[in-house]
C-alpha cells in the first residue's frame, strides 16, 4: 500500500494512493483511520514528506563500496548520527545551498518509517514496529562535515532531508535497486541487499539507546558514488518498488 501526505485546497491530509487516485483518510497512517470518501487526483495535489519525524537516526558507512570511497574502515557496529527534524524537505521541494559551504553532496538512501513507539526492540520483532519505507536524500555539506570531524553541522542544514514521494508498506527492504541521479545522469546505483547492517539489526541497535516514535525515520546509509550538487541542479533518488524523490537545488 502507498500512503501519501499531501496538501490540497488549502488543507493538509493523509491518504492511500492507488494508481493516480488518492483516497483521503480521516486521520493519519499511524492509527487506524477510516476513509472520508473524498478523492483527489495525484496530479492535483502537492505531495508532502510522508511523515514528520521527531528525529532521523542515520547510519553512516553502511555500504561497503561507500566505505571504500570515503576511505573508512568497515565499521564493527553501526555508526549512527541524527539529522534534526528541521532538515525535513518535501518531494519537489527546494534544497537550499548554504552560503557557508562549497561542497554539498547528494546521498541517496532507503528510509525506514517507524509505525509505533519502539524501545528495546529485538531484531526478531523489528518488523512489527516498521510501517513502511520511503526514499531519502541525506544531503551533506561535505566540507563542513570533514572540517568539524563530526557530522551535526554538515548534515543538519534546513532542507537537507528530502523524504518521499510516499510511504510504501509492501517493499522487501533488502532487495531493492537504489539510484541517485543528478540532472538525469546516474551518480549512484546499488541495491539495498548490499547494506552492511540490515534493518532489524539497526532497529535493535538504535532502540537500545533511544525511543523511536511513530513517524521517526532511520536513514539506512548511502552506496558509493556520492558527489557534488550545485545550484540549478535537479537531484532524484529512485528506489524500485517505491518511486522517485525529486528535488531542485537553489541558493540558500
Ligand atoms: Mg548518509
Amino acid at each position: 500500500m502507498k500512503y501519501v501526505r499531501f496538501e490540497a485546497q488549502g488543507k493538509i491530509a493523509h491518504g492511500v494512493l492507488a494508481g493516480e487516485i488518492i483516497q483521503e483518510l480521516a486521520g493519519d497512517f499511524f492509527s487506524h483511520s477510516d476513509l472520508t470518501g473524498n478523492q483527489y487526483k495525484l496530479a492535483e495535489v502537492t505531495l508532502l514528506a510522508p511523515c514528520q519525524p521527531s528525529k532521523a537516526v542515520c547510519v553512516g558507512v553502511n555500504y561497503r563500496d561507500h566505505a571504500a570511497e570515503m576511505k573508512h574502515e568497515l565499521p564493527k557496529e553501526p555508526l549512527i548520527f541524527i539529522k534534526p527534524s528541521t532538515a525535513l524537505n518535501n518531494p519537489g521541494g527546494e534544497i537550499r545551498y548554504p552560503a557557508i559551504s562549497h561542497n554539498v553532496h547528494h546521498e541517496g538512501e532507503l528510509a525506514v518509517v517507524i509505525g509505533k513507539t519502539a524501545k528495546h526492540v529485538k531484531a526478531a520483532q523489528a518488523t512489527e514496529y516498521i510501517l513502511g519505507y520511503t526514499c531519502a536524500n541525506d544531503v551533506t555539506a561535505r566540507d563542513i562535515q570533514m572540517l568539524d570531524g563530526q557530522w551535526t553541522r554538515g548534515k543538519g542544514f534546513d532542507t537537507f532531508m528530502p523524504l518521499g514521494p510516499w510511504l510504501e508498506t509492501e517493499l522487501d527492504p533488502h532487495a531493492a535497486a537504489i539510484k541517485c541521479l543528478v540532472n538525469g545522469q546516474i551518480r549512484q546505483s546499488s541495491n539495498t541487499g548490499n547494506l552492511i547492517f540490515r534493518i532489524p539489526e539497526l532497529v535493535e541497535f538504535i532502540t537500545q539507546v533511544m525511543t523511536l516514535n511513530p513517524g521517526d525515520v532511520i536513514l539506512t546509509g548511502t552506496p558509493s558514488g556520492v558527489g557534488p550538487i550545485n545550484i540549478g541542479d535537479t537531484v532524484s533518488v529512485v528506489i524500485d518498488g517505491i518511486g522517485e524523490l525529486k528535488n531542485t537545488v537553489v541558493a540558500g
Side-chain angles (χ1 to χ4, degrees), residues 152-170:
T152 302
R153 216 164 53 111
K155 288 174 176 282
F157 287 93
D158 290 358
T159 74
F160 269 28
M161 186 171 60
L163 290 180
W166 39 68
L167 190 160
E168 172 59 63
T169 61
E170 300 302 317

Side-chain angles (χ1 to χ4, degrees), residues 108-213:
E109 307 201 5
L110 173 68
V112 178
V113 181
I114 297 298
K116 60 181 183 180
T117 305
K119 176 70 176 171
H120 293 305
V121 174
K122 293 295 182 194
Q125 277 74 51
T127 54
E128 296 169 28
Y129 294 83
I130 294 170
L131 182 61
Y133 304 89
T134 192
C135 307
N137 195 338
D138 175 18
V139 182
T140 302
R142 194 72 72 200
D143 47 355
I144 291 174
Q145 179 194 21
M146 296 305 178
L147 184 69
D148 288 359
Q150 57 94 335
W151 302 3
T152 302
R153 216 164 53 111
K155 288 174 176 282
F157 287 93
D158 290 358
T159 74
F160 269 28
M161 186 171 60
L163 290 180
W166 39 68
L167 190 160
E168 172 59 63
T169 61
E170 300 302 317
L171 188 77
D172 176 351
H174 300 111
I178 178 168
K179 290 187 177 65
C180 184
L181 301 92
V182 177
N183 302 327
Q185 301 290 313
I186 295 176
R187 294 275 191 87
Q188 297 181 274
S189 181
S190 189
N191 189 288
T192 57
N194 295 325
L195 288 175
I196 298 170
F197 300 105
R198 294 194 158 213
I199 291 160
E201 194 178 349
L202 294 174
V203 170
E204 178 169 331
F205 185 82
I206 293 164
T207 65
Q208 285 174 348
V209 177
M210 67 189 83
T211 301
L212 291 174
N213 296 320

